[in-house]
Amino acid sequence: MNEYDSARLAAFLEFNGALPAADIEKADAILVNTCSVREKAEENAIARIKNLKEFKTKNRKLKIGVLGCMAKNRGESLFKIIPFLDFVLAPDEYSRLPEILLGSMAKEKSEDEPFAKLSNNYSAFVAIQSGCNMRCSYCIVPYVRGMEQYREPNSILREIEATAVKGVSEVTLLGQTVNGYRYKGLSFAGLLKQVADIKGIERIRFMSPHPKHYTGELLEILLGEPKIAPHVHLPVQSGSNSILKKMKRQYTRENYLSIVEALRSSNSLYGITTDIICGYPGESEEEFEETLSLLREARFDSAFMFAYSPREGTPSALEKEFLNEEQKKERLQRTIDLQNTIILERAKLMIGQREKILLESTSRRNSSEWIGKTGNFKKAIVKAQPSFKEGMYVDCVIEGIKGHTLVAVPSITPSQL
Ligand code: SAH
Ligand code: SF4
């Protein structure tokens, strides 16, 4: 999401007359986009910003600004801890940037509204929703990003068409509860159908859906439309119904597992990844073990796992924590250890499979290898061939695994013989 926001902002600034600097030493301004979702994210951002001081000493005219969620969350107080900052701008204030940086008001949006700059030529993120109306008890996002707003379908489709014309074939639709999308009678499933009709788009992904918004109509298109990749990142957070209730997640373990079952019913290799929070306030050992048992049952292909981090201003931050940092870390480690064994088992199931791999780049470690992704979102190494190009789809057979990565061999099609 932040990557996309930065790319969109870069396009907006160029539209208003700014240019990207060739390197940081030559920049007139440095903008730091930030995340507030966990304490650690803010700490990292602050450390990175403090490191920018040397550029300020070399170039007195340089402007340094903080953007994103931390700008909203911490506001003016950031000047106290980072005195050399020039400005702090929250996401709802970005229209002031041209004035601050270029001394001119933002240009009026026109038909050719600036779309996010592409970070590569084959895959693009496109936000379809901003904000979030859920109020998960631990989460700061609704406070820093505001109420849900859905983007007009025409603008979304025009952005995707524009990227497809440039050669992009994979698109990832973004939103905090992306499958809750609705716009004047158009549902998320309806939008997906329209995206699938765009010429040049071969692979459609989306992130993050919420279990509450899985309708029959949505499941039907997910399983029936071949352009929609067989992978979903579906954050579950906990396997315990009592914790899910305290978290205000609005689904039960059983609801969640029924979605997993529906997705894997016709394709057992359907990729499902998730987010887990360990050590929510009051989480008992039994409740924690229910998360472990959910991992065993759901068999996630991968997971982002976090120790609970209290965020000031959220309801759960007022609840007493019985676990100290070490105890939360210990639960986190047990979760990671279990999930690592599951990742490996899931990867092994891929051996012998035929897969279309989207080539992303040559491997940093070994230039005779390419790195790409399968439809179910697994990383694969493919032995380089002279015809390989970034953004190409290659039919492969999975021959083995190296660590958690698949090793794929291109299968020769009759036309290549
Ligand atoms: N909208 C998405 C999640 C966005 S936040 C959803 O609801 O599924 C990304 C992830 O950060 C969450 O899934 C959660 O696992 C983690 N997270 C959010 N707040 C957190 C907190 N206070 N402590 C630890 N992890 C947190
Ligand atoms: Fe946060 Fe919940 Fe909204 Fe996700 S759905 S962004 S976890 S409040």
Side-chain angles (χ1 to χ4, degrees):
M1 285 286 241
N2 269 359
E3 228 177 274
Y4 175 80
D5 280 351
S6 299
R8 213 167 156 152
L9 208 56
F12 170 70
L13 287 173
E14 280 196 41
F15 183 68
N16 280 282
L19 286 171
D23 66 60
I24 197 167
E25 308 254 349
K26 300 211 176 79
D28 298 316
I30 301 174
L31 309 177
V32 187
N33 197 2
T34 58
C35 171
S36 287
V37 78
R38 283 169 295 279
E39 182 71 30
K40 190 91 191 130
E42 289 199 349
E43 282 167 12
N44 289 345
I46 290 168
R48 289 281 291 275
I49 301 163
K50 284 186 172 164
N51 279 339
L52 296 174
K53 192 170 180 192
E54 57 161 317
F55 299 106
K56 193 89 180 171
T57 10
K58 283 189 209 147
N59 173 6
R60 299 251 156 227
K61 285 194 197 146
L62 174 70
K63 286 189 173 144
I64 298 183
V66 178
L67 311 175
C69 294
M70 188 172 74
K72 180 83 179 178
N73 191 31
R74 298 219 182 183
E76 305 275 299
S77 74
L78 283 169
F79 290 111
K80 284 205 195 98
I81 48 173
I82 318 173
F84 62 85
L85 278 183
D86 292 282
F87 58 90
V88 174
L89 268 193
D92 50 6
E93 302 171 315
Y94 290 170
S95 60
R96 286 178 49 208
L97 265 175
E99 189 192 329
I100 295 173
L101 295 176
L102 303 153
S104 54
M105 299 303 279
K107 273 206 226 169
E108 284 286 318
K109 265 201 205 163
S110 61
E111 257 302 288
D112 44 23
E113 107 187 62
F115 294 134
K117 292 193 67 165
L118 294 174
S119 57
N120 63 59
N121 298 316
Y122 54 87
S123 185
F125 291 129
V126 174
I128 67 168
Q129 170 198 4
S130 62
C132 182
N133 283 1
M134 305 283 285
R135 287 285 179 279
C136 302
S137 60
Y138 51 83
C139 182
I140 199 170
V141 171
Y143 305 93
V144 288
R145 289 288 173 162
M147 294 296 278
E148 240 161 61
Q149 275 182 323
Y150 293 110
R151 198 168 147 198
E152 214 222 314
N154 272 336
S155 164
I156 298 170
L157 297 169
R158 274 199 295 124
E159 176 162 9
I160 301 174
E161 277 160 7
T163 63
V165 166
K166 289 186 187 144
V168 165
S169 68
E170 182 185 70
V171 60
T172 305
L173 307 179
L174 299 174
Q176 292 297 355
T177 52
V178 72
N179 55 339
Y181 180 89
R182 58 188 177 275
Y183 200 95
K184 291 189 186 152
L186 181 69
S187 65
F188 182 62
L191 180 71
L192 283 175
K193 270 190 210 134
Q194 298 194 24
V195 175
D197 283 340
I198 296 177
K199 207 173 141 234
I201 295 300
E202 302 287 337
R203 232 173 224 185
I204 303 167
R205 302 186 183 280
F206 50 88
M207 201 165 65
S208 296
H210 192 283
K212 182 180 136 173
H213 297 296
Y214 271 80
T215 57
E217 186 201 16
L218 179 58
L219 280 169
E220 197 176 310
I221 181 161
L222 293 184
L223 300 172
E225 169 53 61
K227 285 190 180 178
I228 301 177
H231 164 246
V232 67
H233 183 71
L234 189 58
V236 63
Q237 318 299 0
S238 166
S240 146
N241 279 336
S242 41
I243 294 294
L244 287 172
K245 194 160 185 193
K246 286 189 186 162
M247 287 178 165
K248 303 232 171 347
R249 286 293 289 179
Q250 305 191 29
Y251 54 83
T252 61
R253 173 191 175 104
E254 293 73 27
N255 298 149
Y256 186 92
L257 286 170
S258 71
I259 301 170
V260 172
E261 196 186 315
L263 293 174
R264 293 219 175 116
S265 60
S266 56
N267 173 5
S268 61
L269 295 173
Y270 201 102
I272 304 180
T273 55
T274 201
D275 293 346
I276 302 282
I277 299 178
C278 304
Y280 183 84
E283 181 191 70
S284 66
E285 174 62 26
E286 289 73 32
E287 286 166 324
F288 168 64
E289 281 172 19
E290 287 181 65
T291 296
L292 298 182
S293 87
L294 178 106
L295 293 187
R296 284 188 208 98
E297 232 175 288
R299 314 207 62 70
F300 295 112
D301 294 83
S302 173
F304 292 119
M305 295 159 274
F306 310 105
Y308 168 75
S309 165
R311 309 307 287 126
E312 208 183 311
T314 63
S316 73
L318 301 173
E319 281 175 47
K320 188 170 159 45
E321 286 194 71
F322 295 97
L323 301 176
N324 59 32
E325 287 308 308
E326 215 147 279
Q327 290 165 318
K328 282 193 271 181
K329 289 237 169 73
E330 190 257 344
R331 286 193 183 171
L332 174 63
Q333 195 53 51
R334 282 163 67 195
T335 315
I336 294 173
D337 290 344
L338 169 62
Q339 183 53 34
N340 276 343
T341 64
I342 299 171
I343 293 178
L344 202 60
E345 286 164 15
R346 291 286 300 170
K348 281 186 187 154
L349 292 178
M350 295 292 290
I351 297 176
Q353 286 294 314
R354 282 182 167 274
E355 285 291 325
K356 234 186 204 11
I357 292 175
L358 172 58
L359 297 179
E360 293 178 350
S361 59
T362 49
S363 152
R364 252 182 283 155
R365 274 188 244 150
N366 181 350
S367 61
S368 69
E369 285 175 350
W370 275 77
I371 302 292
K373 291 253 169 49
T374 60
N376 64 0
F377 207 61
K378 289 196 187 286
K379 194 167 141 188
I381 303 172
V382 194
K383 197 163 182 296
Q385 311 226 339
S387 62
F388 279 10
K389 276 200 219 59
E390 170 189 294
M392 201 168 142
Y393 290 85
V394 187
D395 284 316
C396 291
V397 176
I398 309 301
E399 299 236 312
I401 45 178
K402 207 177 186 178
H404 290 170
T405 311
L406 306 179
V407 179
V409 175
S411 47
I412 313 235
T413 57
S415 63
Q416 290 170 297
L417 285 172

